Amino acid sequence: MSTYPNTAATDIVTAAAADPACAEPLPVLGRDVTVPLVTGGEVTYAALDYAASAPALQRVWDDVAAYAPYYGSVHRGAGYLSQLSTDLFEQSRATVAGFLDCRPSDQVIFTRSTTDSLNLLAAVLPADCQVFVFETEHHASLLPWGDAQVTYLNAPRTPAQAVETLERALAEREPWGPALVCVTGASNVTGELWPVKELAAAAHAHGARIVLDAAQLAPHHPVSVQELDVDWVAFSGHKLYAPFGSGVLAGRADWLQQAEPYLAGGGASRKVARRADGGVDVEWHTTAARHEAGSPNVIGVYSIASACKALTEAGFEDLVARERHLIAKVREGLAEVPAVRILSLFGDDAPRVGVISFVVDGWNSSHFAAALSAEYGIGVRDGLFCAHPLVRTLLGSEPQAQGECGAPEAAPGERSLNAIRVSFGAGTPDEHVDRFVGAVRELVADGAKWQYRTEEGRCVPAV
């Protein structure tokens, strides 16, 4: 049993034993859940929507359950449970910093999600800061920048073109001043890895900073702030096998310390005093607490730290090797179905994580996804994946065309401008991807066994 040394929790809160890695998937909650099929009977649910939200690792759940009876409000509490929880909370911060290989001067701020983290960073931008973001980004990276001058860069077709496009845009910016580049580490649509280190070098060469959206990268690959030389990194617990409502923004402290708190309130303030004129003077913290006002989500934070430890102990080398095996199975299986077209920016040989989007000739994507669920017990996602410009570019439609996330835009059997996404990770067994590939083949060859209808924007089995 591993423990948490050097905290008040040492004798009380213990972690589950390290999970086996390599050939076997990591144990996750829900791995034995069965679901009904419209055609009769039940089947073990195949969760293949990890890119939206990954199931909790069993290790994370066990750690949270072990701590839960000792939960207390953190910071300034005199009681034993409060002190224990404070120790655990701050140790979790150190664990996350180690997981990300942060610089000694970096701050780790706990948020609600990647979206919240990027909105926080948007709120602390210096005056006249320009933002550069590719149209290929998730909406969490495309949309938070408020009144800043934003340059949206066209989708590149190679990693090298991405770097060239960014260099040219930064060199031509007017006026010259502070700038921020926001880029994903792995696409939530295609799974392709982006040249983060090269983009960071280009940004710094042109006097800009860079934030890495690691929501899809951190669950699959190690992320080193120092090796990649990024200024900030953001990710969510719910994609890192810790779905308990917390996220992370980690990186350079200066912009964070110089800005007003993201939220004003208790915890962010160090001193508050009345003035003679009846108002109040506030001295804000300069630590991470400056942007963590209110009672923090201690269990969410602790679950992220537990997931970081579990993945590190399992070994990313083994996890990556196993995921490549699953990726090859899916891509090779889909390639044998002529009606299937896999969406890609950088081509078939591009390195990627376990996220694959595709369309099927003659099928509405919502109809196809509904059939996978209702007839095979397989959970995938359909729609535009909160990356509308990218998906529409990949589908060959007008980039300006609008669409609604997840909603079918045509009746079953009619063409629609959305896609199907299958995604998997450390908890996915081979049987799930084998069943998925087999189901795709059967649906394309034989059609759905059931009738479907559109209800409130979703394709559902007709009763």
Side-chain angles (χ1 to χ4, degrees), residues 19-29 31 47-51 53-60 99 215-222 238-242 306-327 353-355 423-433:
D19 292 312
C22 300
E24 295 298 321
L26 301 187
V28 294
L29 288 186
R31 59 190 179 275
L48 296 177
D49 195 15
Y50 276 47
S53 197
L57 286 173
Q58 186 68 52
R59 156 74 176 271
V60 171
F99 179 75
Q216 300 295 341
L217 182 63
H220 303 274
H221 284 260
H238 74 98
K239 298 188 195 298
L240 195 78
Y241 311 100
S306 173
C308 291
K309 289 185 177 184
L311 294 174
T312 300
E313 290 170 8
F316 270 107
E317 183 176 351
D318 291 329
L319 294 175
V320 169
R322 186 171 187 284
E323 187 171 302
R324 285 174 179 161
H325 158 73
L326 296 177
I327 292 170
V353 300
V355 179
S423 54
F424 40 88
T428 305
D430 281 55
E431 188 276 329
H432 287 186
V433 300

Side-chain angles (χ1 to χ4, degrees), residues 287-305:
T287 63
R290 184 183 189 90
H291 298 289
E292 293 178 343
S295 296
N297 180 359
V298 183
I299 287 179
V301 165
Y302 178 47
S303 70
I304 288 179

Side-chain angles (χ1 to χ4, degrees), residues 122-157:
V124 306
L125 294 180
D128 302 320
C129 184
Q130 297 182 54
V131 177
F132 294 81
V133 57
F134 286 93
E135 68 170 355
T136 49
E137 295 292 318
H138 187 280
H139 294 170
S141 298
L142 279 176
L143 304 180
W145 309 111
D147 296 330
Q149 178 182 333
V150 184
T151 299
Y152 295 102
L153 306 174
N154 291 335
R157 286 299 179 169

